Amino acid sequence: MPGVRPRRAVQEHVQSMAEPASEISMDNDDDSEFEEPTRPLGRGRGRGKRGGAVGDPSVSRRGRGGAGRGRVTRAAASTDDDGDGSSLFEIVKVGKASLQTVVDEWIENYKSDRDTSLLELIQFFIQCSGCKGKISPYMYSNMEHAEIIRKMTEEFDEDSGDYPLIMAGPAYKKFKPNYVEFVQVLVRQCQYSVIYDQYMMDNIISLLTGLTDSQVRAFRHTSTLAAMKLMTALVDVALNLSINLDNTQRQYESERQKTKNKQATDRLNLLMSKRQELEENQAEIRNMLTYIFKGVFVHRYRDTQAEIRSICMKEIGVWMKKYPNMFLDDGYLKYVGWTLYDKIGDVRLCCLKALYPLYDTSDLCHKLEYFTNRFKDRIVEMTLDKEMEVAVQAVRLVISILNSFGDAVLSDKDCENVYELVYSSHRQVAQAAGEFLNAKLFKQDEESQGARTASGKKRSANTPLIRDLVQFFIESELHEHGAYLVDSLWEINPMTKDWECMTDLLLEEPGRGEEALDDRQEASLIEIMVCCVKQAATGESPVGRSAAKQKLTAKEKQSVQDDKTKLTEHFIATLPQLLLKYLMDPEKVTNLLQIPLHLDLEIYTSSRQEKSLEGLLRYLHEIVEKHTDQEVLESCSKCFETLCDETYAIAGRCDVARNTLIDSLGVKFKEAMQDFFAEGEQPDEDEVYALVAALKRLYSFSCCHDLSSWELWEDLFHIVRLASENVDLSDEIVSKAQMTLHMLLLWNMKKIDENGSQDQALVIKKFQADLMKYCHQLLYHGQDKISEDAYLTLCDSLIIYSKHSTEKEVLKQLVYEPDKSLQLQLTTFLLNKVFLEDDDDEGDENIKIEELHKRRNFLACYCKLIVYNIMNISMAAPMFKHYMKFYNDYGDIIKATLSKAREINKVSTAKTLIISLTQLFGELLGEANGVIDRSADAFQSIKELARRFSLSFGLDQVKNREAVAAMHRDGILFSLANTDPNDLSKAPPNIAFLEVLCEFTNKLMKMDKKTVLNYLDKQMAGIPPIQRNADEWNPLFTYRNSLVQGEHEIHPITLKQAAQKRYGKKRNVTNIDGTITDETSNHSWDAQTPGPGFMPQHQSTAYHAATKRRRVDEESNPSEPGSEADFQESSLANYNRQYHQVEGDYRRRHGDMPQLEPESSEASISEYESPHMRGHYGNMHAHHPAHMAYDDGSQNIDDASSDYGSQPSY
């Protein structure tokens, strides 16, 4: 393109474009500042010589003269103003001056002294990259661009990864938009003259192309942005040239078609000359665009940095939209298609945003047909992208493809993939899929506009759409998520608020030519209608889909209120009719009874709809008397609760209807009791059904209404008492009786809390004691449902009646604390019902899911007893030991419980974890007949559980110091228990547990490792070292080695430390166990007496060098300290490395070392022991786990509810 280039510029630049650059595969997204580049062969060539575009010498250009870049004929003037505020970089960074004025001034300077001005512009691009290097006039005159860039690279600050484009803060807040605007204004202001002088653009493009090849990310990023924006500005110039050329051509043709008498020859020649000049300018601009594209874009669109790839994708979309004649071609579209597979979400998003305007423009669609066929599958696949913003944009692009090409491109399978997204938990994705569903399925049918019902009522225009919606809902087979479907279409199609259309389809008989809804369609329509009512009345998205709780604006609140008023006015009249029609259908009635919960009940009074209210109350009474389905009864109970709200004027009338209904329920219950327990008669099926139905109704209403005034206590207690005495009763009868009693107790507790007396509390206390006693006995009942309901009742009651739940004196009489027997039985129930292995792989998946939910509920109830400090933390040991085995099913619940337990008491929690591990070890020891195979999977699973427990302590060793020390103490006591005094050479049976205990060594502080080591030696004092040389003692060596790891590394001593060593005075030191010992201030640097049987390792200079290198490697290791990777890479590797060396020294020298006591300056962990703990572990497995409580197991918590907030939801 350029007419005159430096003598070596073209040749060297072409070679430089074939040299390796920073174009690593997109799979390597390293963010380093200087990268190791590898460029594939076959890269595009450099800009051609004078004569045309890249590789196309046939394109002729005008020679406009001008000295080329490089060794100029005269020296450039010095530019020393880059350090002050007058440089281009400072002006652009500050952004206060008008950039058009700045560019105009630069153009004027360029016309008078283009070398100095161009040097200033080159310096501007270098500074914008964050390089502090300065280009001198000499460098400018005597060095090529490649040499200048190489020199600037050498002066680049390697220590800083920041550069202006990515720097934050007020100083660089406006830099990027100003930088982009400067480049675009520069081209726009130069488009009529300077841009064609074959000097300025030649040098700018050459410099930017060279910078984009740099290994320095700052250079590549900054120059790529400038080059892409420069190309966008040139596209605008090309568009202006096209317009001018068309106008000139039209004027020329108009003038030439005139008769010779009227033709103006001068004007004709002028137009011809102007046309020729515009064509040459257009060819030159296209040449520039081609060169930048091949020299920059083709290589940077697959740069290692995602930001650079994103820039390329954003700009190519702009070029295709603005200049489709050149860029909207498969040769350019393929780059966008390939980048759709990029591993970075932002890059994929830029590709989709680049394509969207193209498909959205009807004039451009025909050029995208081949591209669509080639990449359509990938676009549809991206609707399931893990990045939600990408998925949303992909769905919108699919909608544009549908609108542009109709049904010819998208297959049914493609559409189904998008349809399913209306049930997505991400609202934006679901709404985008709703737009697709609306565009594809919900189209107005002109033929059905005049449809009428059998009574002659005109159907709504939305009737066929509602029918299609119901059919789609049925075919999707996700009938529990109707609210998600409605929310997806809520703001898209007005049919979701067409209440009259929905109720007409349900109530009106079909007219001529209409097909009646079948039972399934009616049920689905009712469910959809109820979801629409709820969304309109609340303005809230379904649970699980809405993001953070957002307050509605005043306008939104008014809109919600208007919708609520409209739907209330409609359903006040139609709801009784719907209830009457579907009175005997449990599923439909259950859904319809949700509607009164969302009505504006004041309208009953304001619009004088008392007759409709009476109809509603009458049908509610009938529904309760005719149904025994639990969901229907609960819906009626909630409906009465809403209608009887004292804030509404209709509450009085509704309260009378409710009391009348409950009176009838109480009478029927007492009659059923008399018939069921009639003396000398065995109850028949009808009597059993009558009693079960009466209890179901009472329980459903007791959940929402106070039934304590109806004197039901004695009859209900009679049922529960008989069940506890193993009288054969239906499980439904017993379960409903005990749950109803539980609710009656809660209502009485509420009344006592509001205005109760001591006498009332004493009466309720007796009922409470009886219920807890009977439920305790029912835990062992033979029928599963009875025992399970008793367990749930006990767990809930223990939380409600705990000492933390009330502060009022009158309620303290109702506090109930579980005894050891009850705690043990709850734990046994948990182990028998929850931690079961499911070996049946062929069962019904729905049944398995329901069973899993039930078990998770059992576990959550038990965990709440631990979390709320109702049961001792040690009771959680049998649960914690199943953490890994049942991680997929209950891992989240157990992990949350462990976290909360640690907040209550770290030491007790740590001891509980050790108990869990010792229980598993004891079980394994029993199964292996006393011989542990440390390579067996069962033993390795115990170590894996210990490792998980260790990772749960986090990185703060100081915070967990006492807890970890307690774990090591208890672990050592357990490991060395039951030593045979008659045969000291035989290792204790639990010695292998020390290998499990090694997993917690890395959580000890260095000073505590020495303390634990001395405590271990103290416990081993009775066994001579000569006896400890068998393989069965290997776990001891491993554990000792983990405690002395890093003990002999030499650490530098500061001047202050040296002075303290020499002049230090004795001071009192508080040990980790709370004891106080005397210690000299130079204790840290005195040679330590090694433990018995251990010989310090003599390390060479090479070893210390390796140690130093290892420290450097560990510091540069990206694995987080304390993480699994760090644990595996450091602890286990060091154990294996030092094991054989320590063992060799130990065995060679075991007879030379005297048995020494620990130094008095070191804290003794044995002082943690309570008097009975030394023998505690000897007979541990002879007792039930629940009895392993600690004397110091105080929980240190005042108010469990305040510490944990509301009850945990697992």
Side-chain angles (χ1 to χ4, degrees):
M1 180 203 108
V4 179
R5 298 290 302 273
R7 283 190 291 269
R8 301 190 308 271
V10 175
Q11 294 84 351
E12 290 184 359
H13 188 68
V14 171
Q15 294 175 2
S16 69
M17 293 184 67
E19 294 175 357
S22 54
E23 199 180 291
I24 306 174
S25 167
M26 282 165 37
D27 292 335
N28 177 15
D29 196 25
D30 189 11
D31 198 33
S32 60
E33 189 67 26
F34 292 86
E35 305 181 4
E36 197 65 33
T38 57
R39 169 170 296 171
L41 295 176
R43 175 169 178 172
R45 296 180 57 80
R47 303 176 68 190
K49 298 181 181 180
R50 176 189 180 94
V54 179
D56 187 10
S58 62
V59 180
S60 62
R61 293 186 32 222
R62 294 168 299 148
R64 294 177 181 268
R69 237 308 273 129
R71 296 183 177 87
V72 295
T73 56
R74 62 184 184 84
S78 175
T79 56
D80 297 330
D81 59 348
D82 58 303
D84 55 31
S86 61
S87 67
L88 286 177
F89 172 71
E90 291 295 331
I91 293 173
V92 169
K93 184 181 78 170
V94 174
K96 292 184 178 179
S98 170
L99 292 181
Q100 184 166 339
T101 304
V102 173
V103 170
D104 290 342
E105 291 178 358
W106 183 88
I107 292 174
E108 292 299 323
N109 295 334
Y110 176 82
K111 290 179 179 179
S112 60
D113 188 352
R114 65 182 184 180
D115 295 316
T116 303
S117 299
L118 200 54
L119 174 58
E120 181 185 11
L121 189 60
I122 292 174
Q123 185 68 51
F124 165 74
F125 286 115
I126 296 296
Q127 281 186 283
C128 288
S129 301
C131 179
K132 298 179 180 179
K134 182 181 176 182
I135 304 174
S136 64
Y138 176 81
M139 294 169 58
Y140 175 80
S141 304
N142 296 277
M143 297 174 67
E144 308 299 338
H145 282 152
E147 297 176 81
I148 293 175
I149 294 171
R150 194 176 302 116
K151 182 70 174 176
M152 293 299 101
T153 301
E154 294 172 358
E155 298 185 17
F156 203 90
D157 183 8
E158 297 185 30
D159 297 332
S160 174
D162 290 337
Y163 50 95
L165 272 185
I166 64 172
M167 290 177 71
Y172 292 92
K173 183 178 180 180
K174 300 180 180 179
F175 175 77
K176 184 175 181 178
N178 290 343
Y179 176 67
V180 170
E181 184 182 356
F182 176 83
V183 174
Q184 293 176 329
V185 171
L186 179 65
V187 175
R188 186 173 68 242
Q189 296 301 104
C190 296
Q191 65 178 315
Y192 298 111
S193 58
V194 180
I195 198 175
Y196 304 109
D197 69 354
Q198 300 182 3
Y199 184 75
M200 184 197 79
M201 292 302 295
D202 177 18
N203 282 275
I204 292 177
I205 294 174
S206 177
L207 173 74
L208 294 178
T209 305
L211 287 173
T212 58
D213 280 341
S214 174
Q215 298 179 13
V216 182
R217 186 181 73 170
F219 279 150
R220 287 202 324 280
H221 189 182
T222 309
S223 59
T224 300
L225 177 61
M228 296 297 97
K229 293 297 181 180
L230 181 71
M231 195 167 172
T232 302
L234 289 175
V235 166
D236 293 332
V237 174
L239 289 176
N240 291 334
L241 288 174
S242 297
I243 295 172
N244 293 334
L245 184 59
D246 291 341
N247 293 336
T248 303
Q249 180 66 25
R250 188 168 56 253
Q251 293 174 8
Y252 176 78
E253 293 296 335
S254 176
E255 188 68 25
R256 197 180 63 167
Q257 290 176 2
K258 294 180 181 179
T259 59
K260 291 186 177 180
N261 296 331
K262 295 182 178 180
Q263 281 184 355
T265 306
D266 295 339
R267 176 172 172 76
L268 200 60
N269 293 335
L270 180 62
L271 290 173
M272 185 180 298
S273 175
K274 183 178 179 181
R275 185 184 66 178
Q276 182 180 0
E277 181 180 359
L278 289 172
E279 288 174 347
E280 292 179 356
N281 290 344
Q282 189 177 48
E284 188 163 344
I285 294 297
R286 291 176 69 95
N287 187 29
M288 292 180 190
L289 293 173
T290 302
Y291 177 76
I292 298 175
F293 187 86
K294 292 186 176 180
V296 178
F297 180 91
V298 169
H299 308 290
R300 296 283 66 79
Y301 90 97
R302 53 195 177 109
D303 193 275
T304 58
Q305 300 304 315
E307 303 97 318
I308 297 176
R309 302 199 297 272
S310 296
I311 292 171
C312 294
M313 290 302 108
K314 286 178 183 176
E315 297 308 312
I316 194 173
V318 175
W319 308 334
M320 291 175 177
K321 184 70 169 63
K322 288 185 174 182
Y323 201 6
N325 291 336
M326 177 177 180
F327 289 102
L328 194 55
D329 179 77
D330 293 333
Y332 294 96
L333 282 167
K334 64 183 180 182
Y335 297 106
V336 182
W338 292 338
T339 314
L340 289 172
Y341 295 89
D342 196 283
K343 70 174 184 177
I344 302 299
D346 287 341
V347 182
R348 299 195 298 272
L349 181 62
C350 290
C351 294
L352 295 173
K353 287 184 176 180
L355 293 171
Y356 182 78
L358 306 180
Y359 282 101
D360 212 33
T361 305
S362 57
D363 296 338
L364 305 179
C365 293
H366 65 281
K367 295 187 176 182
L368 294 165
E369 186 172 353
Y370 178 77
F371 174 85
T372 305
N373 292 330
R374 171 65 178 81
F375 292 102
K376 179 258 300 180
D377 292 340
R378 172 57 182 165
I379 295 172
V380 173
E381 185 182 80
M382 291 175 73
T383 59
L384 301 175
D385 198 282
K386 63 179 182 179
E387 301 289 341
M388 292 304 171
E389 195 174 355
V390 177
V392 171
Q393 192 63 39
V395 175
R396 290 174 179 167
L397 186 57
V398 172
I399 296 173
S400 293
I401 294 175
L402 176 66
N403 294 333
S404 300
F405 296 97
D407 299 331
V409 174
L410 296 175
S411 64
D412 292 340
K413 185 177 181 181
D414 295 333
C415 295
E416 289 172 2
N417 291 335
V418 184
Y419 291 160
E420 294 174 356
L421 294 177
V422 296
Y423 297 103
S424 170
S425 59
H426 193 277
R427 192 165 192 258
Q428 290 183 331
V429 175
Q431 286 183 321
E435 292 179 11
F436 178 82
L437 185 65
N438 186 63
K440 178 70 175 175
L441 295 183
F442 303 134
K443 300 175 182 178
Q444 291 286 352
D445 186 5
E446 296 181 358
E447 297 180 0
S448 61
Q449 293 297 323
R452 293 182 179 273
T453 66
S455 61
K457 184 177 180 180
K458 185 178 180 180
R459 291 283 191 186
S460 169
N462 291 320
T463 300
L465 305 186
I466 295 291
R467 285 178 176 270
D468 291 339
L469 178 62
V470 169
Q471 192 60 34
F472 172 80
F473 182 54
I474 292 173
E475 293 177 357
S476 64
E477 297 181 353
L478 292 170
H479 301 154
E480 297 180 358
H481 302 288
Y484 277 32
L485 174 61
V486 169
D487 184 57
S488 301
L489 298 168
W490 188 250
E491 299 173 1
I492 298 170
N493 199 311
M495 67 176 173
T496 54
K497 296 181 183 180
D498 195 343
W499 319 115
E500 185 176 2
C501 175
M502 298 179 191
T503 54
D504 282 350
L505 278 171
L506 294 169
L507 296 175
E508 297 287 340
E509 293 296 327
R512 182 180 302 175
E514 283 190 325
E515 184 179 351
L517 297 178
D518 59 25
D519 183 71
R520 189 176 182 185
Q521 289 174 332
E522 287 180 337
S524 299
L525 176 55
I526 290 174
E527 183 175 352
I528 292 173
M529 180 178 68
V530 172
C531 293
C532 292
V533 168
K534 183 177 180 180
Q535 181 109 356
T538 61
E540 298 175 355
S541 299
V543 176
R545 173 171 285 183
S546 56
K549 190 70 175 179
Q550 296 180 351
K551 292 184 178 180
L552 298 177
T553 62
K555 185 177 180 180
E556 290 173 337
K557 289 180 180 179
Q558 185 60 45
S559 176
V560 169
Q561 185 58 40
D562 293 343
D563 290 340
K564 190 172 184 179
T565 301
K566 291 178 182 178
L567 70 90
T568 302
E569 292 173 348
H570 177 76
F571 282 103
I572 279 178
T574 56
L575 182 57
Q577 301 175 39
L578 292 169
L579 291 175
L580 177 61
K581 180 175 180 179
Y582 302 107
L583 188 66
M584 302 307 298
D585 192 318
E587 181 184 1
K588 297 184 179 70
V589 167
T590 301
N591 279 321
L592 289 173
L593 289 176
Q594 305 300 315
I595 295 178
L597 307 182
H598 305 290
L599 300 181
D600 185 358
L601 300 180
E602 290 292 348
I603 297 180
Y604 273 106
T605 306
S606 61
S607 61
R608 299 184 179 274
Q609 294 287 342
E610 289 82 2
K611 187 175 181 180
S612 298
L613 178 61
E614 289 178 2
L616 175 61
L617 294 173
R618 182 171 65 255
Y619 294 134
L620 285 174
H621 192 114
E622 288 186 27
I623 290 171
V624 173
E625 289 187 339
K626 293 182 178 180
H627 285 274
T628 58
D629 186 83
Q630 196 66 47
E631 291 185 5
V632 176
L633 295 174
E634 289 177 359
S635 298
C636 285
S637 179
K638 292 178 182 178
C639 194
F640 269 110
E641 183 185 25
T642 301
L643 294 172
C644 294
D645 191 338
E646 296 179 356
T647 58
Y648 299 112
I650 62 173
R653 181 175 298 181
C654 296
D655 188 57
V656 171
R658 177 187 62 179
N659 293 337
T660 302
L661 174 60
I662 296 177
D663 286 339
S664 67
L665 296 181
V667 170
K668 289 184 177 180
F669 169 66
K670 292 183 181 298
E671 292 175 353
M673 283 289 294
Q674 292 177 358
D675 295 340
F676 187 87
F677 292 104
E679 293 184 6
E681 295 183 10
Q682 187 70 18
D684 56 20
E685 292 183 1
D686 292 338
E687 292 171 342
V688 172
Y689 174 81
L691 183 56
V692 171
L695 284 170
K696 283 184 176 181
R697 293 174 182 131
L698 286 178
Y699 171 69
S700 298
F701 274 81
S702 68
C703 293
C704 300
H705 308 276
D706 184 6
L707 305 185
S708 57
S709 303
W710 275 265
E711 298 180 357
L712 304 172
W713 295 98
E714 293 300 330
D715 291 332
L716 294 172
F717 268 119
H718 180 68
I719 296 174
V720 177
R721 187 185 307 113
L722 292 177
S724 65
E725 296 172 357
N726 293 324
V727 175
D728 187 16
L729 296 175
S730 169
D731 56 356
E732 281 282 350
I733 294 175
V734 180
S735 296
K736 289 294 182 272
Q738 63 177 333
M739 289 191 293
T740 304
L741 282 171
H742 177 59
M743 296 308 302
L744 290 176
L745 277 175
L746 293 183
W747 282 109
N748 279 274
M749 186 177 180
K750 180 177 180 293
K751 288 198 297 187
I752 294 174
D753 185 31
E754 292 173 352
N755 49 9
S757 63
Q758 295 287 345
D759 295 338
Q760 290 176 318
L762 290 174
V763 174
I764 299 304
K765 177 69 176 177
K766 180 181 180 302
F767 290 144
Q768 178 204 62
D770 290 343
L771 179 61
M772 298 297 285
K773 179 182 69 174
Y774 295 140
C775 288
H776 190 175
Q777 295 171 357
L778 292 175
L779 274 178
Y780 289 110
H781 199 277
Q783 300 185 51
D784 288 343
K785 182 171 178 55
I786 295 176
S787 62
E788 290 170 359
D789 288 338
Y791 171 83
L792 295 174
T793 302
L794 283 171
C795 291
D796 291 342
S797 298
L798 289 175
I799 293 176
I800 294 169
Y801 305 129
S802 69
K803 59 185 178 181
H804 309 295
S805 62
T806 180
E807 296 179 356
K808 288 188 177 183
E809 191 67 29
V810 67
L811 289 177
K812 288 185 178 179
Q813 299 184 47
L814 299 179
V815 171
Y816 188 94
E817 295 185 2
D819 55 17
K820 288 290 183 181
S821 174
L822 179 56
Q823 294 185 36
L824 179 59
Q825 289 189 20
L826 291 174
T827 305
T828 304
F829 179 91
L830 184 76
L831 297 177
N832 294 336
K833 295 289 186 178
V834 174
F835 297 107
L836 304 175
E837 295 188 30
D838 189 7
D839 299 329
D840 184 13
D841 297 332
E842 299 179 356
D844 187 357
E845 287 297 326
N846 292 328
I847 296 177
K848 288 183 179 180
I849 293 173
E850 291 178 2
E851 187 68 23
L852 177 60
H853 283 315
K854 184 172 71 173
R855 293 176 183 176
R856 284 175 61 86
N857 187 36
F858 291 155
L859 179 60
C861 290
Y862 186 88
C863 290
K864 284 189 283 188
L865 298 178
I866 303 296
V867 168
Y868 286 122
N869 201 22
I870 294 166
M871 295 197 325
N872 194 281
I873 294 177
S874 61
M875 298 301 298
M879 174 184 65
F880 288 151
K881 72 180 182 182
H882 292 101
Y883 179 54
M884 288 299 298
K885 188 175 182 180
F886 293 90
Y887 183 83
N888 292 335
D889 294 338
Y890 317 120
D892 55 337
I893 301 177
I894 299 177
K895 185 176 181 181
T897 305
L898 178 59
S899 175
K900 290 298 178 181
R902 189 171 281 122
E903 293 178 9
I904 297 173
N905 192 309
K906 292 183 177 63
V907 175
S908 294
T909 304
K911 290 181 176 182
T912 302
L913 296 181
I914 280 294
I915 289 181
S916 300
L917 295 171
T918 56
Q919 288 177 3
L920 284 175
F921 186 88
E923 294 171 3
L924 178 61
L925 193 66
E927 295 173 359
N929 297 323
V931 180
I932 295 292
D933 181 7
R934 300 198 304 278
S935 62
D937 292 339
F939 184 78
Q940 294 300 319
S941 66
I942 299 177
K943 291 182 65 177
E944 175 65 16
L945 178 61
R947 186 177 67 85
R948 287 297 184 98
F949 286 161
S950 175
L951 292 175
S952 69
F953 281 94
L955 303 177
D956 192 342
Q957 291 181 323
V958 176
K959 182 175 66 175
N960 299 306
R961 185 182 185 188
E962 293 185 13
V964 176
M967 294 185 75
H968 281 273
R969 183 204 64 183
D970 290 0
I972 291 172
L973 288 176
F974 173 78
S975 302
L976 302 181
N978 298 331
T979 303
D980 188 357
N982 299 322
D983 187 4
L984 297 178
S985 63
K986 184 177 179 180
N990 302 333
I991 191 68
F993 188 77
L994 288 175
E995 192 168 322
V996 177
L997 203 59
C998 289
E999 304 291 344
F1000 299 97
T1001 305
N1002 66 329
K1003 297 301 178 182
L1004 283 169
M1005 299 180 67
K1006 184 177 180 181
M1007 62 185 75
D1008 295 340
K1009 286 184 179 180
K1010 293 185 288 187
T1011 304
V1012 172
L1013 179 63
N1014 290 329
Y1015 180 71
L1016 176 66
D1017 294 337
K1018 185 176 180 180
Q1019 298 301 314
M1020 296 289 296
I1023 305 175
I1026 196 172
Q1027 304 293 340
R1028 310 179 205 156
N1029 53 5
D1031 291 341
E1032 58 187 4
W1033 289 95
N1034 283 344
L1036 174 65
F1037 303 142
T1038 303
Y1039 183 56
R1040 286 181 56 84
N1041 188 34
S1042 69
L1043 292 174
V1044 300
Q1045 179 183 352
E1047 180 70 21
H1048 304 286
E1049 293 183 2
I1050 299 176
H1051 301 283
I1053 301 177
T1054 63
L1055 182 61
K1056 180 179 180 181
Q1057 292 171 338
Q1060 288 178 345
K1061 178 179 178 182
R1062 182 172 183 180
Y1063 303 108
K1065 297 180 181 180
K1066 287 189 176 182
R1067 57 175 178 166
N1068 290 336
V1069 177
T1070 302
N1071 297 320
I1072 60 175
D1073 56 355
T1075 59
I1076 300 178
T1077 57
D1078 291 336
E1079 183 186 47
T1080 58
S1081 61
N1082 64 349
H1083 171 72
S1084 299
W1085 306 284
D1086 285 341
Q1088 300 294 315
T1089 303
F1094 178 77
M1095 193 67 182
Q1097 302 176 19
H1098 299 284
Q1099 299 163 352
S1100 65
T1101 306
Y1103 175 83
H1104 288 295
T1107 302
K1108 182 177 181 181
R1109 287 195 301 271
R1110 188 171 67 253
R1111 285 204 205 102
V1112 172
D1113 292 340
E1114 290 172 353
E1115 292 173 357
S1116 62
N1117 194 342
S1119 61
E1120 181 183 3
S1123 65
E1124 292 189 35
D1126 181 58
F1127 182 83
Q1128 292 171 344
E1129 293 166 5
S1130 60
S1131 300
L1132 295 179
N1134 289 332
Y1135 293 174
N1136 296 331
R1137 186 177 61 253
Q1138 295 184 6
Y1139 171 79
H1140 295 291
Q1141 184 177 359
V1142 174
E1143 183 183 9
D1145 286 341
Y1146 187 91
R1147 292 183 174 179
R1148 285 196 302 271
R1149 306 184 61 85
H1150 64 269
D1152 300 335
M1153 292 294 294
Q1155 188 73 18
L1156 299 177
E1157 291 294 326
E1159 293 183 3
S1160 60
S1161 61
E1162 296 180 356
S1164 176
I1165 199 169
S1166 64
E1167 295 179 17
Y1168 269 93
E1169 292 183 50
S1170 55
H1172 68 286
M1173 282 302 293
R1174 286 185 179 274
H1176 177 72
Y1177 287 93
N1179 56 356
M1180 172 176 289
H1181 297 288
H1183 300 284
H1184 192 277
H1187 292 297
M1188 297 181 185
Y1190 298 97
D1191 291 347
D1192 56 344
S1194 59
Q1195 307 287 312
N1196 296 333
I1197 184 168
D1198 296 326
D1199 185 0
S1201 60
S1202 63
D1203 285 353
Y1204 195 69
S1206 59
Q1207 294 187 6
S1209 120
Y1210 294 102

